[in-house]
Amino acid sequence: MGRIRILPDQVANQIAAGEVVDRPASVVKELLENALDAGATRIRVEVEAGGRRLIRIADDGCGMSRDDALLAFERHATSKLRTASDLLSISTLGFRGEALPSIASVARVTLETATGEGETGTRIEIAGGKMLRVEDLALPRGTTITVADLFFNTPARRKFLRAESTELAHVTALVTHYALVHPEKHFELQSATHLVVSAPPVTRTAERIYQIFGKETLGQLLPVAAELPLERAGLPDPPPWKRDPEEPARDPGALRLSGFYSKPELQKLNRNSIYIFVNKRLIRDRLLLHAITEAYRNVIPPTSFPVVLLFLEMPPEEVDVNVHPAKTEVRFRQSTLIHDFVRDSLRTALMKARPAAAFLAAIDAQPSASPSLMPPAASPLPGAPDSERPAPLPDSDPVALESAATEAEAFRLTPRMPTPVSGKLPFNVQDSGGRDSGPGFALGTGQGFDRSAWGATAAALFQPANGPAAGDCSPNPNGAAGYASNPATEAALVEAEQAAANLNQIGSLRPLGQLRESFILAVGEDGLWIIDQHVAHERVLFEKILRDRQVEQVQRQRLLMPLLVELRPDQMVVFARIAEELERNGFEVEPFGPQTLAVKAAPVGLEGMELERMLGEVIEQSSVAGEEPARNEDLTALRTRIAASIACHSAIKINTPLDPARMEWLLLELARTSHPTSCPHGRPIALLYSWNEIQRAFHRI
Ligand SMILES: Nc1ncnc2c1ncn2[C@@H]1O[C@H](COP(=O)(O)OP(=O)(O)OP(=O)(O)O)[C@@H](O)[C@H]1O
Ligand SMILES: [Mg+2]
């Protein structure tokens, strides 16, 4: 008898579940995506014990007929895809028909659904993949899925679950994510004790950011938008003999980018605050992370990461979403184009905005780590260093979780995990806007929330139905129309926008003098500026060196006496590798014995001890980087590093007196740079003590 057997469905489903569902947050992700695909405009998520005991998602989407509801639990049963060619242009979040059978194979699932088209509703109970009961039930339109006792029949999986607070944090992150990408929809997340997220519909993403993260965060972010018409559609055109001459030429569509990025003063220790959505799908992508890091190169330190919410829209044919079991990774057909588009759009936005760092905000602007908003299974990139992995959250104790979060983060992009005490937390923006006047974000307990309501089904909770017309089961991305904005939110938005003072005026500031011969004090319309003379000059020189190097015009000076530099053998090897680039940057260096170099000429302004230090620094950094300048990318990195190092060692030092003319010159030169916000190593150059802050400090407003 042969040894090979076809696995029973139930086993196959459990195996698939291993890939699709690994913790409560991944169940929430699948069910949320289903609700969004069903065109829901209101989605309510309830979890108990971090989702281990219970996850319930109620939506007001199109619902399912009895037959469809039964089919939905079969493997490869989907309404979203018909032919293989549909795979090339998927516009829904789901498409494999795997999520429901996978979840049902490892939990006790109850589905209640109705289309609201005259039929009664359907209730189905399944446990461990076995259908237990199917009954008709009068239900309003929508779907409620309850997933209880996750992994009850796969104890090995259950063991891998973390503390309830950790699992809840991941679920919260997911709901938050989807709330961000759909500001026009109503999202709620309820834990056993708190209403964790409550985000009623708003019209703009900025308002949603305000709802979820508050005014302070919004004030630290700047908007970006860009569009690039595509020259060709993602897939090559069919050969001429296969083309239908009647068929009009395909419109290749466009790449669109919108979102928010942080001012350089705001820095994170990991990439967890970078959110990327492609066609409204939350993804992790190495390529786009790289593009974002590149945009911030030499604007923030190389070890820090910005906060970015990036919404990319492109024709569905441009992106292959079928490359990852949890659908959190994608493959772009024109990846270089997209990479460069993202990098350049962000970089240009940064250059244009030139945001000034506020004096008070800068004081506690320490790079901080933030917990990931992605479930860890999806989050770490292949080969990613540990810093990219989600910062572990303290387990079990929510109070510890809270205080650790407060300590670790001067700025946070995850809503704070609530502590189980009653009363309002300060993170409740409704206080400033009037509780009843419209959208707001409530976090905390004691909101008068009626727990008994949770027994009800979706549509009963979600009246009046604001969703698409009954029967319309297509995704409804534009359900926003008709939602009014809260005046308080608007006011905060305007304030945040006004607060974005920029550095354009830095050239016309009037320098008053120096503070300890190190910082220039200057005044302008916006307030009092404090400029670090060393880093300001460093930025000016850095950009000049790069420009001069580009056109091979670096100015060099001959040294009166050659400078002898001793190197270790390994440093000699590194030096040999970067010698040519150094030469193009104004150095003339010759070997002087086996371990000694004679420097005969150097870039103008670099002398004596500083010259020696600079060389040592570049050699050291290059040996760490272990680069081979043969590759284009690395050559740019090397070039930038050399320029940064020369700039740093030839710039005006602190403790150096400057006369008014020199201060004015420096400010003018700084104004001409592309990134006057920070030095090439990412430190702030100029801080603004704004007129508003000054008046407030003196209790005048
Ligand atoms: N909340 C819902 N409202 C309406 N229909 C739903 C809902 N959830 C699931 N369905 C239906 O059940 C089908 C199966 O869902 P399931 O999540 O298993 O697969 P999918 O979404 O098609 O693909 P994927 O496995 O990639 O998520 C869906 O195609 C959809 O027709
Ligand atoms: Mg699905």
Side-chain angles (χ1 to χ4, degrees):
M1 206 177 100
R3 289 179 300 125
I4 301 179
R5 271 175 309 235
I6 304 264
L7 289 176
D9 266 1
Q10 203 178 324
V11 182
N13 282 337
Q14 276 193 12
I15 292 171
E19 293 194 316
V20 178
V21 184
D22 65 345
R23 65 186 331 163
S26 39
V27 174
V28 172
K29 174 176 183 289
E30 291 299 335
L31 299 183
L32 263 183
E33 292 187 349
N34 279 349
L36 289 168
D37 281 344
T41 56
R42 291 175 162 229
I43 300 173
R44 183 174 233 169
V45 183
E46 180 191 2
V47 289
E48 279 176 22
R52 308 163 79 153
R53 194 180 316 136
L54 180 116
I55 299 168
R56 177 174 296 141
I57 301 204
D59 69 57
D60 65 348
C62 64
M64 286 175 266
S65 66
R66 183 186 169 106
D67 290 349
D68 278 354
L70 286 167
L71 254 183
F73 289 98
E74 296 292 325
R75 269 194 99 193
H76 309 305
T78 179
S79 57
K80 301 169 192 174
L81 203 74
R82 282 181 199 283
T83 64
S85 63
D86 290 350
L87 260 180
L88 300 177
S89 55
I90 294 164
S91 58
T92 47
L93 295 166
F95 51 86
R96 291 189 184 147
E98 276 192 338
L100 286 185
S102 300
I103 295 168
S105 72
V106 292
R108 300 180 213 279
V109 173
T110 309
L111 167 79
E112 290 173 322
T113 187
T115 57
E117 289 170 11
E119 305 169 3
T120 53
T122 310
R123 184 170 196 276
I124 296 179
E125 275 177 44
I126 298 189
K130 278 204 203 76
M131 189 81 67
L132 301 181
R133 194 184 312 180
V134 182
E135 59 191 8
D136 288 345
L137 198 70
L139 292 168
R141 179 181 192 267
T143 303
T144 300
I145 299 192
T146 309
V147 178
D149 300 333
L150 185 62
F151 302 134
F152 78 97
N153 55 350
T154 49
R157 280 254 151 215
R158 206 168 52 225
K159 266 201 221 123
F160 279 104
L161 292 180
R162 305 275 301 277
E164 286 176 16
S165 56
T166 311
E167 297 299 343
L168 177 60
H170 288 294
V171 171
T172 309
L174 257 153
V175 176
T176 309
H177 263 103
Y178 277 108
L180 279 172
V181 77
H182 291 286
E184 77 285 358
K185 296 181 194 276
H186 189 139
F187 286 83
E188 266 183 19
L189 169 63
Q190 168 78 32
S191 77
T193 46
H194 314 89
L195 183 56
V196 185
V197 175
S198 167
V202 284
T203 41
R204 296 203 280 159
T205 309
E207 289 171 75
R208 174 94 349 145
I209 293 176
Y210 175 73
Q211 277 183 328
I212 293 186
F213 304 123
K215 180 171 143 189
E216 198 187 324
T217 302
L218 184 62
Q220 312 234 45
L221 300 176
L222 294 165
V224 56
E227 184 172 331
L228 178 74
L230 287 169
E231 274 168 21
R232 64 177 173 87
L235 291 176
D237 277 331
W241 61 90
K242 279 198 175 168
R243 241 176 269 162
D244 177 0
E246 299 291 290
E247 199 185 318
R250 278 195 294 165
D251 172 12
L255 281 179
R256 278 189 201 92
L257 173 156
S258 65
F260 291 82
Y261 64 98
S262 54
K263 298 177 182 176
E265 73 207 64
L266 180 62
Q267 293 165 15
K268 309 297 267 179
L269 286 174
N270 57 29
R271 294 171 168 178
N272 291 343
S273 298
I274 298 178
Y275 310 75
I276 303 170
F277 300 88
V278 171
N279 292 347
K280 297 201 161 59
R281 180 192 302 278
L282 170 66
I283 59 148
R284 279 259 133 181
D285 185 74
R286 258 180 109 78
L287 180 87
L288 292 181
L289 282 173
H290 182 264
I292 292 169
T293 321
E294 278 293 290
Y296 277 86
R297 186 201 275 266
N298 293 118
V299 175
I300 63 173
T303 46
S304 295
F305 297 93
V307 173
V308 176
L309 298 181
L310 193 69
F311 304 106
L312 273 172
E313 296 287 333
M314 61 192 74
E317 309 85 60
E318 288 297 323
V319 48
D320 185 355
V321 291
N322 190 22
V323 293
H324 187 268
K327 294 169 282 188
T328 48
E329 283 169 26
V330 296
R331 197 175 296 135
F332 299 109
R333 310 233 192 257
Q334 306 190 57
S335 54
T336 316
L337 185 85
I338 291 173
H339 172 275
D340 295 356
F341 171 62
V342 169
R343 181 196 59 201
D344 298 345
S345 307
L346 268 184
R347 186 103 186 152
T348 312
L350 257 172
M351 265 166 69
K352 247 172 87 186
R354 302 167 151 230
F359 188 68
L360 295 180
I363 292 176
D364 44 30
Q366 291 296 326
S368 60
S370 51
S372 171
L373 290 195
M374 293 282 278
S379 178
L381 303 164
D386 269 357
S387 66
E388 287 171 18
R389 287 166 198 273
L393 291 169
D395 276 351
S396 67
D397 180 2
V399 179
L401 181 73
E402 165 106 18
S403 60
T406 320
E407 266 167 33
E409 298 167 53
F411 171 92
R412 179 181 28 238
L413 256 185
T414 343
R416 177 182 299 224
M417 292 302 294
T419 49
V421 290
S422 58
K424 278 177 290 165
L425 290 173
F427 199 61
N428 188 339
V429 298
Q430 286 178 324
D431 283 350
S432 59
R435 180 165 303 266
D436 298 319
S437 56
F441 176 71
L443 181 72
T445 55
Q447 310 281 341
F449 188 76
D450 179 11
R451 291 219 6 98
S452 62
W454 282 103
T457 51
L461 290 169
F462 287 152
Q463 304 165 15
N466 228 337
D472 171 11
C473 201
S474 56
N476 175 26
N478 297 321
Y483 289 118
S485 288
N486 181 349
T489 320
E490 283 297 331
L493 290 176
V494 171
E495 204 181 304
E497 276 154 24
Q498 281 172 350
N502 69 36
L503 285 157
N504 284 340
Q505 59 214 295
I506 202 121
S508 52
L509 297 183
R510 190 158 58 82
L512 301 177
Q514 280 170 292
L515 189 63
R516 301 207 176 187
E517 301 187 332
S518 301
F519 297 95
I520 299 171
L521 300 180
V523 285
E525 257 311 289
D526 279 341
L528 173 69
W529 294 78
I530 306 179
I531 296 117
D532 182 325
Q533 63 194 40
H534 171 68
V535 292
H537 195 209
E538 202 179 342
R539 166 56 70 181
V540 171
L541 290 177
F542 172 69
E543 294 194 9
K544 178 174 177 345
I545 295 164
L546 282 181
R547 265 195 322 268
D548 292 352
R549 165 69 188 82
Q550 183 89 17
V551 290
E552 308 269 359
Q553 293 274 328
V554 178
Q555 291 173 315
R556 69 171 66 188
Q557 66 188 5
R558 299 221 125 254
L559 305 184
L560 290 175
M561 291 265 291
L563 174 78
L564 298 185
V565 184
E566 287 215 356
L567 295 181
R568 295 190 311 261
D570 60 313
Q571 290 177 317
M572 284 300 261
V573 176
V574 177
F575 172 76
R577 213 173 60 208
I578 62 173
E580 192 191 333
E581 188 53 38
L582 282 174
E583 197 186 318
R584 289 170 170 226
N585 272 288
F587 287 89
E588 195 185 320
V589 184
E590 281 175 8
F592 192 81
Q595 285 186 38
T596 310
L597 298 174
V599 185
K600 296 189 162 170
V604 171
L606 195 57
E607 289 156 1
M609 281 297 287
E610 291 298 334
L611 169 55
E612 200 173 337
R613 280 197 201 128
M614 181 265 152
L615 273 176
E617 183 181 287
V618 163
I619 290 173
E620 205 49 48
Q621 288 170 346
S622 300
S623 82
V624 174
E627 292 167 335
E628 290 183 15
R631 279 180 46 212
N632 225 350
E633 178 72 9
D634 292 345
L635 193 59
T636 319
L638 174 65
R639 223 173 254 184
T640 325
R641 235 185 7 253
I642 291 177
S645 192
I646 298 175
C648 179
H649 290 276
S650 26
I652 300 168
K653 301 271 165 305
I654 55 165
N655 295 317
T656 308
L658 298 178
D659 59 34
R662 193 134 169 84
M663 287 191 265
E664 260 169 45
W665 169 85
L666 185 55
L667 294 182
L668 261 177
E669 287 297 307
L670 181 62
R672 291 207 185 106
T673 59
S674 313
H675 294 284
T677 44
S678 36
C679 83
H681 304 103
R683 270 159 46 197
I685 294 176
L687 301 180
L688 170 64
Y689 205 162
S690 77
W691 177 230
N692 247 342
E693 279 169 335
I694 293 171
Q695 289 191 96
R696 234 180 271 154
F698 283 106
H699 298 260
R700 289 202 165 267
I701 51 172

